[in-house]
Amino acid sequence: MTMIAVLGNGRVGGSLSAALARAGHEVTVADRSPAAAADAARTAQIVINATPGASSLERLLALREELEGKILVDVSNATVDGPDGLPAGLLYPGSSLGRQLQDALPGTRVVKTLNTMLYTVMTAPTTLAHPPTAFLSGEDSGAKQVVRGLLEDLGWDRDWVTDLGGIETAQAAEAAVLFVPHVIRSSGFAPFAVSITR
């Protein structure tokens, strides 16, 4: 059992927290209040960032002390949204939210994952017709191994998880969000994910 804090209680955070609790972890969910986030992060071994990507950096910088030495799993995408609320561009072109977080929080082990799919797939990868791919980006190999274990707890087969390398690779994974509005407009709001087939 691992003590996990999920920052953000929207669809993504709610789905992840429920699934991780079912897997036997002790999960605390923090809403948007700074006090709740600080309390949750302080006692956790692993912190999951499921806050809106556009404000994640500011929110997590305020938790620098609480996140020191922790694993921070970043599942958010920092986007500039269009008039319809769907992503129209990247907030950090040429970089990524994952990279920004790691640079700003050098004492925290940031791992980027689960951001290349509709949120329903994060906790139910076997519901798709073809195996999806979950990517890992991060500087700390030990932290990535821990996150790989969490993915298995969420139903991900080890063969469906691809370690892309350092946190700089999060730039490519986060750019996949630019597919999202076009896929939704073409096929509707149905579960989907990026999949690497070989």
Side-chain angles (χ1 to χ4, degrees), residues 62-168:
L63 302 175
R64 182 190 303 271
E65 291 184 13
E66 290 82 0
L67 292 172
E68 184 74 20
K70 308 286 177 71
I71 295 174
L72 175 63
V73 183
D74 178 33
V75 303
S76 295
N77 287 307
T79 60
V80 177
D81 292 340
D84 57 1
L86 294 175
L90 301 174
L91 188 60
Y92 304 110
S95 183
S96 65
L97 175 57
R99 182 60 183 264
Q100 295 292 316
L101 289 170
Q102 186 61 85
D103 288 349
L105 302 165
T108 303
R109 296 176 288 166
V110 178
V111 179
K112 187 80 183 189
T113 193
L114 292 180
N115 66 302
T116 56
M117 62 202 69
L118 200 64
Y119 76 96
T120 55
V121 181
M122 294 178 177
T123 58
T126 59
T127 58
L128 297 184
H130 302 283
T133 302
F135 301 103
L136 296 173
S137 298
E139 298 300 310
D140 190 289
S141 59
K144 287 191 283 189
Q145 281 300 110
V146 171
V147 174
R148 188 184 287 269
L150 289 183
L151 293 179
E152 290 182 24
D153 290 343
L154 293 173
W156 288 84
D157 188 288
R158 289 188 70 85
D159 292 338
W160 301 352
V161 181
T162 297
D163 187 342
L164 295 179
I167 197 63
E168 73 279 359

Side-chain angles (χ1 to χ4, degrees), residues 2-9 13 16-17 20 25-31 36-51 60 63 66-67 70-74 150:
T2 305
M3 296 180 67
I4 300 172
V6 178
L7 306 183
N9 60 355
L16 287 171
S17 62
L20 290 168
H25 298 287
E26 185 175 331
V27 182
T28 302
V29 182
D31 59 21
D39 287 344
R42 186 178 297 111
T43 57
Q45 297 163 285
I46 298 172
V47 178
I48 297 176
N49 174 40
T51 64
L60 293 170
L63 302 175
E66 290 82 0
L67 292 172
K70 308 286 177 71
I71 295 174
L72 175 63
V73 183
D74 178 33
L150 289 183

